[in-house]
Amino acid sequence: MSEHYYSNKPSVAHQRNTIEETLRGKKLRFVTDAGVFSKGGVDYGSKVLIDMMEIPEQAKVLDVGCGYGPIGFSAALMAPQGHVTMLDVNERAVELAKENARANEIHNVTIEQSDLFEKVVGKTFDVILTNPPIRAGKETVHRIFTEAYDHLNADGQLWIVIQKKQGAPSARAKLEELFGEDEVEEVGKDKGYRIFKSTKRV
């Protein structure tokens, strides 16, 4: 069986590893493992998103596909009076994220195993962040965008990172269809990665 980081229960043998990363000027330590996304270090796309995202200090934030925690933790540190909900379908990633939150003493987070937005039905957020699972397919990625729109408060923002060669043009088209052409902004780009910010106007 071919197994991916978006499997809900990875069966690949454990291969725990500790890495250190400086994100937004904060040194963080992460335990990673086989069977989770980017186990060797925080991937470049996530770093680009972390560097460019804007999080109000009191924001209610949702991180979809949190992995072992880098994007969500960075958001939590940027929103000390806010709260970050972190979701991932991968049971192993969720356990690592919980362990890493404790190790880094990040307390304003809730971390849950969830198939996309399953655990936050009826809840809305000021900011939603995602480095979408491209290998799960375009349909899944576009579903994340659609459901994110439904889970945003008025004037809330969806921030995504996506590589040009992995579908940035079609991602932008889908975001413009959902949010409106004038509300989707390419905030920046780096080494082929694009950061899009989409604002929900109601």
Side-chain angles (χ1 to χ4, degrees), residues 32 58 66 149 189:
T32 73
Q58 298 179 320
C66 66
Y149 182 88
K189 56 188 176 185

Side-chain angles (χ1 to χ4, degrees), residues 18-34:
T18 301
I19 60 170
E20 281 195 353
E21 299 275 3
T22 300
L23 304 172
R24 293 290 284 242
K26 303 277 189 183
K27 187 174 277 188
L28 297 171
R29 179 174 289 189
F30 299 98
V31 176
T32 73
D33 201 347

Side-chain angles (χ1 to χ4, degrees), residues 124-141:
T124 55
F125 301 87
D126 303 312
V127 179
I128 298 178
L129 307 166
T130 188
N131 180 352
I134 301 300
R135 291 193 185 94
K138 183 172 167 181
E139 189 179 322
T140 298
V141 172

Side-chain angles (χ1 to χ4, degrees), residues 66-80:
C66 66
Y68 50 78
I71 296 172
F73 293 172
S74 297
L77 290 166
M78 293 168 72

Side-chain angles (χ1 to χ4, degrees), residues 21-28 30 42 46-57 61 63 66 68-80 84 86 101 104 106 108-109 129:
E21 299 275 3
T22 300
L23 304 172
R24 293 290 284 242
K26 303 277 189 183
K27 187 174 277 188
L28 297 171
F30 299 98
V42 177
S46 291
K47 287 181 176 177
V48 176
L49 176 59
I50 289 164
D51 282 344
M52 294 188 183
M53 66 192 190
E54 299 159 11
I55 312 290
E57 286 198 351
V61 182
D63 177 7
C66 66
Y68 50 78
I71 296 172
F73 293 172
S74 297
L77 290 166
M78 293 168 72
V84 182
M86 299 169 57
N104 289 286
I106 294 173
N108 56 330
V109 292
L129 307 166

Side-chain angles (χ1 to χ4, degrees), residues 2 6 18 50 53-54 59 70 88-89 114 124 126-127 144 149 153 161 172 202:
S2 170
Y6 47 85
T18 301
I50 289 164
M53 66 192 190
E54 299 159 11
D88 203 294
V89 72
S114 177
T124 55
D126 303 312
V127 179
I144 290 172
Y149 182 88
N153 293 322
V161 58
R172 180 167 195 157
V202 291

Side-chain angles (χ1 to χ4, degrees), residues 80-108:
Q81 283 92 53
H83 191 86
V84 182
T85 301
M86 299 169 57
L87 306 178
D88 203 294
V89 72
N90 183 323
E91 176 184 76
R92 192 174 289 183
V94 167
E95 290 310 310
L96 288 169
K98 288 178 178 177
E99 181 180 342
N100 291 332
R102 289 190 296 271
N104 289 286
E105 298 185 343
I106 294 173
H107 305 296
N108 56 330

